[in-house]
Amino acid sequence: MSVMTVFSLFSGADVVGEFDTREEAERALDQAVAADPSAADELAVIEFDENGERVGEPITRAAA
């Protein structure tokens, strides 16, 4: 049985992108915050398991 995990980058309630690895998702989050630090409070990466259930806490970044 293979386990499929998806990492989604959200801006508020809107999906900005989906990634296969946490590293890819965090890199996209870092780039988005670097491009617009004021948006940091609106951005989060959320991990979902193969059933579409959220795993763990959202990954966020503080504004610089």
Side-chain angles (χ1 to χ4, degrees), residues 1-62:
M1 168 191 277
S2 68
V3 175
M4 182 176 146
T5 301
V6 174
F7 297 88
S8 297
L9 175 59
F10 286 87
S11 176
D14 299 323
V15 175
V16 175
E18 292 187 340
F19 307 89
D20 293 329
T21 67
R22 180 185 309 262
E23 291 78 16
E24 291 174 324
E26 288 193 56
R27 189 169 29 256
L29 175 61
D30 291 339
Q31 290 171 347
V33 171
D36 185 3
S38 68
D41 291 341
E42 297 288 324
L43 297 168
V45 170
I46 300 176
E47 180 180 355
F48 294 95
D49 67 14
E50 67 275 6
N51 298 315
E53 298 292 324
R54 191 174 101 182
V55 177
E57 294 298 316
I59 301 166
T60 60
R61 297 291 190 260

